[in-house]
Amino acid sequence: MATRTEILRIDTLARPKRLPAEYRDDRRSVYWVEREPLRCGPDGHTVVAATPRVIELSRHKTVVGAWRPHRPTPIWPVASGAMSAQPSSRITQLSQHRNPHNSYLFDRDPMWDVTDEAAQARASERLEQLATPKTREERFSNFDPFWGYTYPVSENAQRSRCTERLESLAQHKGYHKEFKDERPIQWEVSQEAIEAIASLRLQQLARPRSRTMIKDDYDPYKVSPSAKKTRATPRLEELCLPIPRKVRQKKALGT
């Protein structure tokens, strides 16, 4: 059983903690800062009293007396005064179109008459020389023989005789003695191949796989126990070694 002292201690700890005198409760709304929000009146609505400045700012902007709204349509009646008005000399001058330049030439018609002087004119010797087309060799003066350019060959080159070594080098390279041409797409089947009989093993391998031999739970990545216990032969270990010329020693960093 608890003693009297323990019971008194439990009662003391069970009492709520007293709030200090300067404690302030949390705000109930973000729309008021240092005073309580407005409360509803007798009719259930909040009554707000606006200051004269607020009432003045809440008024809409007045329109200037000289302002006129936009025309409702681009077509409007013309006043009789505007119909009978006479333009001034300045307005008449500004309404005239701009004249082209004195040296301006309009577009020439693709078909025009040739004057008699141009039809009876005789070309000069220089003009006929310039009108003569260039020859093919002069026009395409490049090193392409297909355009008419010929390579001049000297007389010594035409009379020269090649040596035996040059003739030997000029011969094309022959094929290997065991070289065989490409096999045709269609060829005759030998009589031996037609009369050949497949062995028992060949027939067994050619037989399609039976559906009963397929295992649904087959795991291709599973290693068999016998493969785990195998030991590599010395020759296999020798083949697994890297090529000596491709092996590089690690460089030791200086301490």
Side-chain angles (χ1 to χ4, degrees):
M1 295 179 64
T3 60
R4 181 177 178 79
T5 305
E6 293 177 353
I7 294 174
L8 295 176
R9 179 60 180 167
I10 292 174
D11 293 341
T12 305
L13 295 176
R15 294 174 184 175
K17 187 176 181 181
R18 295 181 180 180
L19 297 176
E22 61 275 7
Y23 173 78
R24 299 181 63 182
D25 194 4
D26 296 335
R27 295 175 181 175
R28 295 293 182 263
S29 175
V30 296
Y31 297 102
W32 60 279
V33 183
E34 297 178 353
R35 56 184 178 181
E36 296 183 359
L38 300 177
R39 302 181 182 278
C40 298
D43 54 352
H45 301 283
T46 304
V47 179
V48 180
T51 61
R53 179 58 179 168
V54 174
I55 296 174
E56 182 180 356
L57 294 175
S58 63
R59 295 173 183 174
H60 62 80
K61 190 175 181 181
T62 57
V63 182
V64 182
W67 181 82
R68 294 182 180 180
H70 298 292
R71 292 173 178 172
T73 174
I75 302 175
W76 62 89
V78 181
S80 58
M83 293 181 182
S84 60
Q86 296 297 331
S88 62
S89 58
R90 179 58 178 168
I91 294 178
T92 305
Q93 180 183 358
L94 294 175
S95 64
Q96 296 294 331
H97 63 82
R98 188 176 181 181
N99 296 326
H101 194 267
N102 297 330
S103 302
Y104 177 77
L105 298 176
F106 292 93
D107 296 336
R108 175 181 278 185
D109 192 359
M111 297 180 63
W112 65 88
D113 298 333
V114 182
T115 61
D116 297 337
E117 292 78 5
Q120 299 174 2
R122 299 296 178 181
S124 62
E125 183 179 357
R126 176 58 178 167
L127 190 58
E128 290 182 354
Q129 180 183 359
L130 294 174
T132 304
K134 293 183 178 181
T135 58
R136 180 178 294 274
E137 297 180 1
E138 296 178 355
R139 186 178 180 185
F140 303 97
S141 57
N142 51 21
F143 297 97
D144 192 353
F146 295 100
W147 290 99
Y149 185 85
T150 56
Y151 293 94
V153 183
S154 61
E155 296 181 359
N156 298 332
Q158 295 178 4
R159 298 174 183 175
S160 61
R161 300 292 180 181
C162 60
T163 60
E164 295 181 359
R165 176 59 178 168
L166 190 58
E167 290 182 354
S168 175
L169 295 175
Q171 297 292 332
H172 63 83
K173 188 176 181 181
Y175 295 104
H176 193 268
K177 59 181 180 180
E178 298 182 358
F179 174 76
K180 295 182 180 180
D181 294 330
E182 297 179 357
R183 193 172 186 180
I185 299 177
Q186 296 183 0
W187 63 87
E188 297 181 359
V189 183
S190 61
Q191 191 66 25
E192 292 78 4
I194 296 176
E195 297 177 357
I197 299 176
S199 61
L200 181 61
R201 178 57 179 167
L202 190 59
Q203 293 179 8
Q204 182 180 0
L205 294 175
R207 187 179 305 167
R209 188 175 182 181
S210 178
R211 186 67 181 175
T212 56
M213 299 177 63
I214 300 177
K215 296 181 180 179
D216 296 336
D217 57 345
Y218 174 72
D219 186 7
Y221 302 100
K222 185 178 181 180
V223 183
S224 60
S226 57
K228 295 179 181 180
K229 298 178 181 179
T230 54
R231 299 293 179 181
T233 60
R235 177 58 179 167
L236 189 59
E237 292 180 352
E238 181 182 356
L239 295 174
C240 291
L241 296 176
I243 302 175
R245 62 184 176 84
K246 292 187 177 181
V247 177
R248 292 187 304 176
Q249 296 182 357
K250 295 183 178 180
K251 296 182 181 180
L253 300 176
T255 56

